[in-house]
Amino acid sequence: MSKRLFEAAKHADLYAKYRPNYGEDIYERIFNFCRDGGNCFKLAVDVGCGSGQSTKHLTRYFKQVVGVDVSPKQVEHAASDVPNLKFEVGFAESFSTVIPPYTADLVTIAQAIHWVDTGRFYGEVDKVLRPGGAVVVYGYGNCTLDNPQAQEIISKFYWGTLKGYWDDKRDHINSHYREFSLPYQGFFRDESLKISKEWTVDQFVGYLASWSGWQSYLKAHPSASDLENIRQTLATLYKPSAGEESKVNISWPVFMLLGQKPKD
């Protein structure tokens, strides 16, 4: 069953504000895959959409886009000012209750396949996809910073401090979804793209605060000062020149599985 890891209002706020957005090159890759498969570009469905960070980008390419997420709090943070975009609250394992059968030209699920029952989810995908429709599963891995000392601090925080506080399914992110496949023959993987951001130290620490492992750690250690200590250390490592604002250059590897439902 889908997990509600981002249900709490405060965590949903952090998630919406600080999670990195995928670059337009990711959506161009999806578009090109769909186009090459003869896609109609009428309806795209983004499952596990969270606050709609990935969903909104699809509106440039599809006539109608629907985002589906299990968390009402996440959906509350989703964009409401896009005419061809709407959101529904629902489970990945039963989202065909809000999408008519054989109407979708694309189903995507970003950074969420590891939380769902894949057998049931793929059954739902097959119900809603038109023949020849596409399914794309994608996500991003752990970040890399441009400063080796800063990178070592974040690695120790992720693998050391938060060890035992991550859900076991986090291992699928660590392995770039190599354990997953798609239900259609001929699917393939693409790991050629990445997300790149230039953030302030405070923005980056806000991103760390959105980690589910940190949220679990905080429940056990409510007065923990680890993030503040990291913020102070990074502020020293990235101390700006006079009159300039310190910036942290960060990248995340992107991994994608792309497949197409048979046309007949």
Side-chain angles (χ1 to χ4, degrees):
M1 186 62 72
S2 303
K3 293 212 173 186
R4 299 174 183 247
L5 289 186
F6 309 110
E7 183 73 42
K10 185 176 180 181
H11 195 190
D13 289 341
L14 289 169
Y15 196 87
K17 186 174 182 179
Y18 292 112
R19 282 286 161 144
N21 295 321
Y22 294 95
E24 199 59 42
D25 54 345
I26 280 65
Y27 303 100
E28 289 175 0
R29 180 71 186 92
I30 294 172
F31 167 78
N32 289 334
F33 174 69
C34 291
R35 181 196 59 195
D36 293 345
N39 203 284
C40 297
F41 295 100
K42 292 182 179 179
L43 173 63
V45 182
D46 186 30
V47 180
C49 66
S51 57
Q53 292 171 310
S54 301
T55 322
K56 190 174 180 179
H57 286 268
L58 296 173
T59 61
R60 290 185 55 189
Y61 305 102
F62 287 82
K63 185 176 180 180
Q64 179 69 43
V65 178
V66 179
V68 181
D69 197 87
V70 68
S71 169
K73 291 294 184 183
Q74 288 285 353
V75 171
E76 282 178 14
H77 287 81
S80 58
D81 59 345
V82 183
N84 62 331
L85 174 61
K86 70 175 184 177
F87 293 90
E88 301 280 357
V89 175
F91 289 93
E93 297 88 350
S94 57
F95 74 95
S96 66
T97 58
V98 295
I99 305 296
Y102 309 117
T103 59
D105 298 291
L106 170 69
V107 175
T108 60
I109 181 166
Q111 201 77 353
I113 192 69
H114 53 295
W115 300 126
V116 308
D117 181 324
T118 54
R120 293 174 60 193
F121 170 66
Y122 287 148
E124 294 292 284
V125 170
D126 201 56
K127 285 181 185 178
V128 305
L129 276 183
R130 302 176 190 267
V135 55
V136 179
V137 172
Y138 62 110
Y140 60 87
N142 295 327
C143 62
T144 299
L145 280 64
D146 57 337
N147 182 303
Q149 287 179 271
Q151 181 61 46
E152 183 177 358
I153 290 167
I154 301 309
S155 294
K156 286 181 178 178
F157 179 60
Y158 181 92
W159 296 104
T161 303
L162 302 184
K163 183 179 181 181
Y165 292 93
W166 293 105
D167 190 284
D168 290 342
K169 292 182 182 294
R170 178 72 192 183
D171 288 341
H172 294 302
I173 296 295
N174 298 333
S175 66
H176 294 191
Y177 282 177
R178 292 192 178 95
E179 300 86 356
F180 290 101
S181 60
L182 296 184
Y184 304 122
Q185 290 186 352
F187 83 89
F188 62 95
R189 300 176 185 270
D190 185 341
E191 297 190 31
S192 64
L193 302 174
K194 65 180 180 180
I195 301 170
S196 297
K197 297 291 180 184
E198 187 180 67
W199 282 347
T200 66
V201 167
D202 285 348
Q203 284 177 308
F204 179 67
V205 172
Y207 161 67
L208 300 182
S210 77
W211 284 1
S212 60
W214 170 248
Q215 294 296 317
S216 297
Y217 185 84
L218 270 183
K219 290 178 181 179
H221 308 280
S223 60
S225 60
D226 302 73
L227 270 193
E228 176 57 23
N229 295 339
I230 288 174
R231 189 194 67 78
Q232 292 179 13
T233 303
L234 292 181
T236 300
L237 290 175
Y238 286 94
K239 187 175 182 179
S241 303
E244 295 182 2
E245 187 175 23
S246 177
K247 293 290 186 178
V248 184
N249 289 294
I250 316 144
S251 64
W252 294 260
V254 173
F255 37 91
M256 308 178 77
L257 289 77
L258 304 98
Q260 185 178 32
K261 183 176 179 177
K263 293 184 178 181
D264 47 32

